[in-house]
Amino acid sequence: MSVSSHAGKFSAPRVDASGRMALIGLSLPEMQDALSIHNLPKFRAKQVWNWIYQRGLTSFEDMSNLPKDMRSLLCDYYSIERPAVVAEQKSTDGTIKWLLAMSDGQQVETVYIPEESRGTLCVSSQVGCTLTCRFCHTGTQPLVRNLGPHEILQQIMHARDVLGEWPKVNEKSASQTGRDLTNIVMMGMGEPLYNYDNVAKALKICMDEDGLCISKRRVTLSTSGVVPQIRQCGEELGVNLAISLHAPNDKLRSSIMPINNKYPLNELLDACRNYPGISENRRITFEYVMLQGVNDSDDTARELVSLLENIPCKVNIIPFNKWPGSDFECPSRNRIMAFARILEDSGLDAPIRRPRGEDILAACGQLKSESQRLKKTESP
Ligand code: SAH
Ligand code: SF4
């Protein structure tokens, strides 16, 4: 399916059950257009924009510089709500995982991962995924639909609500330092480049100085390798690029990631070499999930080294996170370290990702399936 027909077929509702339109997700000109239907001037739309994106208000009633009748008009026609929290799980290591329900009841996961020097939010782009990578639990859930720009932003705004990170009215701007949530990774459920337009729209507002004000240096988009959209992503958004690589040759990669049949490694790596802005200071991240007996041998590590020669990059080694019914096992710690050492000895940065939120099943796709399973066992 082409990317554009994909986008049309699986579009997100912008209007909630009571017929009100979501203002979140609109760019400033779009918000001005939307409000001009009710004869509201542009400066009023800018005030609303500021309240929504810079202060995180969820109620029009609290927009103190708007006339009262305008506030009630906004309440009647528009919404700025957050998704409903279906479940929240906190790990002993501080990781928080939310299962969020959108206005039509569709559910996605968002995970907050605190680290010493930063806090990263892992954001979903679709409900389910059309790709069927064999090691990924999201890949077993059929795509239900794309998330709209509002639903992508709402995940970030929800996390700011919970972490108490909106600047107070008397604080100067959204660019305050000392936040816990500093980084965004589009690495939750779904393939962001199969929902490019909505992801792009959301990220532009996320990175806008007058919006959520998160620098593009702190935003990373992860793709399984949708080659035609990679260049556009670099040119339009300038975000960091992560590629789910997981194998150093076409035969192995196609056997675990069917998308490789469509966009094989030579095309994918060409797109990486030509990624706008790529340099030693702005490297591509290759993600590499370690699968025992599949892609974890010394020979495979050496093949990976020669494949990535001359690409400014690092390799994130990810221990496989097992899920019920999966075909794979995670290699031993020693095997993973030996694999990483071969990469490091050849000059590649190859950090091994520390498992986070293990006690709350913080891997791709697991909380949602837990809740589905519970629902099934609860129903008669
Ligand atoms: N669709 C995009 C982004 C979401 S997946 C992509 O594939 O890049 C985010 C990352 O989690 C990918 O690198 C994916 O390969 C990895 N992943 C999926 N299932 C995993 C598992 N069971 N254990 C560890 N990592 C996993
Ligand atoms: Fe989809 Fe990414 Fe999972 Fe592959 S790894 S099935 S592209 S979410």
Side-chain angles (χ1 to χ4, degrees), residues 113-292:
I113 307 154
E115 286 168 286
E116 252 154 54
S117 56
R118 62 182 175 191
T120 304
L121 192 72
C122 182
V123 174
S124 293
S125 57
Q126 299 182 308
V127 182
C129 188
T130 44
L131 298 168
T132 49
C133 304
R134 281 184 47 213
F135 48 82
C136 174
H137 200 223
T138 305
T140 65
Q141 304 169 7
L143 178 80
V144 179
R145 66 170 175 80
N146 285 326
L147 293 183
H150 54 306
E151 295 166 325
I152 295 165
L153 283 164
Q154 279 170 335
Q155 296 174 63
I156 306 171
M157 297 169 87
H158 162 76
R160 273 203 178 159
D161 293 348
V162 174
L163 298 169
E165 301 220 315
W166 295 105
K168 306 281 172 297
V169 173
N170 49 2
E171 275 176 312
K172 235 187 154 276
S173 81
S175 62
Q176 57 164 22
T177 48
R179 282 206 192 112
D180 285 335
L181 199 181
T182 55
N183 290 46
I184 302 294
V185 291
M186 295 302 303
M187 280 187 197
M189 294 166 65
E191 169 46 59
L193 294 189
Y194 269 158
N195 185 19
Y196 179 77
D197 289 347
N198 290 343
V199 168
K201 220 170 150 189
L203 289 184
K204 280 180 189 165
I205 294 170
C206 171
M207 299 185 295
D208 189 331
E209 278 191 2
D210 289 331
L212 298 184
C213 198
I214 297 178
S215 153
K216 66 178 183 183
R217 305 260 150 186
R218 293 183 170 276
V219 177
T220 300
L221 182 144
S222 173
T223 178
S224 57
V226 184
V227 169
Q229 244 60 40
I230 289 179
R231 184 167 191 89
Q232 190 182 3
C233 170
E235 275 169 357
E236 275 184 13
L237 305 177
V239 294
N240 303 313
L241 181 67
I243 301 283
S244 294
L245 190 63
H246 310 323
N249 61 62
D250 281 321
K251 185 160 178 270
L252 182 54
R253 192 164 191 268
S254 296
S255 75
I256 53 175
M257 300 182 72
I259 193 170
N260 194 69
N261 292 308
K262 196 162 184 188
Y263 305 117
L265 277 172
N266 61 345
E267 290 178 27
L268 178 58
L269 294 180
D270 263 354
C272 291
R273 281 187 201 94
N274 296 317
Y275 189 67
I278 183 182
S279 71
E280 278 305 329
N281 292 328
R282 274 211 105 195
R283 295 176 294 171
I284 309 262
T285 301
F286 289 104
E287 294 154 275
Y288 197 96
V289 173
M290 297 294 291
L291 305 170
Q292 185 182 312

Side-chain angles (χ1 to χ4, degrees), residues 49-91:
W49 162 283
N50 290 349
W51 284 119
I52 293 177
Y53 292 124
Q54 296 181 358
R55 307 291 172 191
L57 289 200
T58 53
S59 158
F60 293 110
E61 291 301 338
D62 297 335
M63 299 186 176
S64 52
N65 57 359
L66 303 185
K68 275 225 147 62
D69 55 345
M70 180 179 163
R71 289 186 230 171
S72 59
L73 179 142
L74 290 169
C75 288
D76 289 345
Y77 292 101
Y78 303 101
S79 77
I80 43 173
E81 277 132 32
R82 304 290 190 255
V85 179
V86 180
E88 178 187 88
Q89 290 181 299
K90 283 190 183 155
S91 162

